[in-house]
Amino acid sequence: MLFYRKKKRIKFLNMQRKLAIFLACFILSVAGLFYWINARLTPTYLQYAEVQTNKIASMVISKAINTRIANVLDVNDIIEHVPSESANNMVTTKFNTEIINRVLSDTQSLVQSHLEQAEKGNLSSLPYLDDIEYDKQTMEDQGGVVFFVPMGQAANIPLIGNLGPKIPIRFHVIGNVQSTVEQSIDEFGINNAFVEISILLKVNVQIIVPLASKMSTVEQRIPVAMGLIQGQVPQIYTKGEGGNPPSVEVPINPLPKQE
């Protein structure tokens, strides 16, 4: 009887050991499967997150600019014409750097403020998009812009579309907003030029998805002033491209006769 109980107990322990090994292998297999799926989908998540982050950040910047700038300045408001003392009928054109620097500073501060408000959970600073759900509580507690997208949409799987678990995506603004002034001058006609002054804004962000992160830069160009500058039309005009000089007869008054 004692031998039978001992044998039965050994058999029970062997079954427990096999069950434990099976459960361990099953858990490891499931974990490995999830890790493999996540590793395959992570590049897709990052690419989708980068697109959405660029969209949100660009719309936040545009929203910030629209609160202050109603119209683009005329180029004549930031251009000064200074007559030259060394030559007749010559005018030197230069930009008013004081106005440009003031617009640059105000724009940078305004965009920085709106991005900070967005990271603190102020939904009024964020754009409304049908396919994005913001996590306001997490944004207020931990900072950063946090939003959810369905796994099927992020993974670009049309069969499940908006179904499936939602993937959290977060992005943080790293450092201050960087801004530079750019100018574009396009010549056309005779002594005419179209001038455009713009501000190039760059925002460095860190994009975070489950088990991965990526650095990205959001760029947006904002026009400050644009307009046409018209100069005097010269009596003789040539582009100087190696062609023949223009055949223009200039009338010369005859010299008076000497008596």
Side-chain angles (χ1 to χ4, degrees):
M1 189 70 178
L2 183 62
F3 176 78
Y4 176 76
R5 290 181 178 177
K6 187 176 180 180
K7 185 177 180 181
K8 188 175 181 180
R9 184 177 181 182
I10 293 174
K11 186 177 181 180
F12 178 74
L13 292 175
N14 290 333
M15 290 181 62
Q16 281 188 329
R17 189 179 297 108
K18 292 180 180 180
L19 181 61
I21 294 174
F22 173 77
L23 290 176
C25 293
F26 178 76
I27 294 174
L28 291 175
S29 300
V30 172
L33 179 62
F34 275 108
Y35 179 80
W36 179 80
I37 294 176
N38 186 78
R40 294 293 299 270
L41 294 179
T42 292
T44 305
Y45 290 157
L46 282 174
Q47 183 179 4
Y48 181 86
E50 186 173 10
V51 172
Q52 295 296 336
T53 297
N54 277 270
K55 181 192 300 184
I56 294 175
S58 297
M59 295 181 74
V60 170
I61 294 174
S62 299
K63 196 170 185 179
I65 298 303
N66 291 334
T67 60
R68 186 186 64 85
I69 300 178
N71 296 311
V72 179
L73 298 175
D74 188 89
V75 72
N76 294 309
D77 296 335
I78 61 173
I79 282 184
E80 298 176 349
H81 301 283
V82 182
S84 177
E85 298 178 355
S86 60
N88 295 329
N89 299 327
M90 294 295 294
V91 177
T92 301
T93 302
K94 65 178 184 178
F95 294 110
N96 190 326
T97 56
E98 181 180 354
I99 297 178
I100 296 176
N101 289 334
R102 184 170 65 247
V103 174
L104 177 66
S105 177
D106 293 345
T107 302
Q108 183 174 349
S109 300
L110 189 63
V111 171
Q112 184 76 34
S113 176
H114 270 68
L115 289 173
E116 290 176 355
Q117 291 296 321
E119 285 202 339
K120 292 179 181 179
N122 186 358
L123 297 183
S124 62
S125 300
L126 292 168
Y128 173 77
L129 300 172
D130 295 333
D131 56 344
I132 288 180
E133 176 186 351
Y134 297 104
D135 189 352
K136 183 178 180 181
Q137 190 63 40
T138 303
M139 292 165 61
E140 293 177 351
D141 296 341
Q142 302 179 13
V145 178
V146 183
F147 57 96
F148 297 101
V149 294
M151 184 180 69
Q153 185 174 343
N156 196 20
I157 303 177
L159 292 178
I160 58 179
N162 292 329
L163 303 178
K166 294 183 179 180
I167 305 299
I169 298 175
R170 179 199 304 268
F171 73 87
H172 291 277
V173 176
I174 303 174
N176 296 325
V177 177
Q178 302 174 9
S179 58
T180 55
V181 177
E182 293 186 345
Q183 63 182 23
S184 173
I185 302 177
D186 296 326
E187 179 184 357
F188 71 94
I190 301 177
N191 208 17
N192 296 327
F194 183 80
V195 180
E196 181 179 359
I197 308 297
S198 59
I199 297 176
L200 178 62
L201 294 175
K202 292 184 179 182
V203 181
N204 295 323
V205 297
Q206 182 180 15
I207 305 170
I208 303 174
V209 300
L211 301 180
S213 64
K214 181 181 181 180
M215 301 286 294
S216 181
T217 301
V218 180
E219 295 186 1
Q220 187 161 349
R221 185 172 282 99
I222 301 170
V224 175
M226 60 180 62
L228 178 65
I229 299 178
Q230 294 179 324
Q232 295 181 353
V233 179
Q235 295 180 354
I236 299 177
Y237 170 76
T238 176
K239 289 186 177 181
E241 296 178 352
N244 295 325
S247 299
V248 178
E249 294 184 1
V250 180
I252 301 176
N253 295 327
L255 296 175
K257 295 182 179 180
Q258 296 181 355
E259 293 180 357

